[in-house]
Amino acid sequence: MSWAQSVTQCIQSGGMLTSVEDLVESNFLIEHSDLYTSKTSGFWIGIYRNVNGQLLWQDNSALDFVNWGEGQPSGDELAFCVEMSAATGNWSVLPCSSQKGFICKKPKIIFYLFTDAKKDKTIGHLNMWILLTLVLIILLGVGFMIYFSFKIKTGSGAGREMRWGSRQLEYSRALTAGDNGSDATNNKEKNEHSVV
């Protein structure tokens, strides 16, 4: 693919042509690109020259590390597209219409945090509704338990008071009846004394 086609392909897959930020990343790419040396001699990477002539990475990362091949870059290229050699990892300037493989790189943190934040927000809302429902069910259950236990205690207490009151009534009747009987006995004794 040409450099422009490679850029389009990477963007469609959610990335950009790769930037190489340090020697460790360069060695990683060399190690893995070596597997494809039978298919292509090099891969497009994301360096480009802007209209002011500055070299920039397509993903706007800092251009702190370079791995130019010998004599590269010469400053007179109008179409400035860079390939990384599959065999050596050295960079060289080629016409942008050349057919090469390409390496895409997806953003490290921003993309995943953005995606995870959407998922977390959705899951968080779902969890909130589940939690709210459970709390309401528990509160209703506790409310019913308190209501029925209070009603049972209140109903049983009235029954006890009624039974206690009826016992007192029976006892007071018995006492009254006993008093009436003793009055009758006293009257009888009074009558007997008076007859004698």
Side-chain angles (χ1 to χ4, degrees), residues 84-97:
M84 182 184 78
S85 168
T88 64
N90 291 331
W91 305 348
S92 56
V93 176
L94 291 178
C96 295
S97 59

Side-chain angles (χ1 to χ4, degrees), residues 125-138:
H125 284 292
L126 179 64
N127 288 341
M128 181 187 68
W129 284 110
I130 291 171
L131 182 63
L132 185 62
T133 304
L134 287 174
V135 167
L136 285 173
I137 289 170
I138 290 170

Side-chain angles (χ1 to χ4, degrees), residues 156-189:
S156 297
R160 281 189 211 134
E161 290 170 6
M162 187 184 275
R163 281 180 289 204
W164 175 252
S166 65
R167 284 185 189 151
Q168 284 180 335
L169 184 62
E170 288 175 17
Y171 181 70
S172 62
R173 283 185 189 159
L175 287 177
T176 309
D179 288 344
N180 290 341
S182 62
D183 285 342
T185 312
N186 288 338
N187 288 341
K188 204 180 208 185
E189 288 176 4

Side-chain angles (χ1 to χ4, degrees), residues 16-31:
M16 296 181 177
L17 282 176
T18 191
S19 58
V20 184
E21 297 177 19
D22 54 31
L23 185 60
V24 173
E25 191 170 14
S26 179
N27 289 337
F28 174 83
L29 292 173
I30 293 167
E31 182 181 321

Side-chain angles (χ1 to χ4, degrees), residues 25-40:
E25 191 170 14
S26 179
N27 289 337
F28 174 83
L29 292 173
I30 293 167
E31 182 181 321
H32 288 86
S33 66
D34 190 41
L35 301 171
Y36 300 98
T37 53
S38 63
K39 296 181 180 181
T40 184

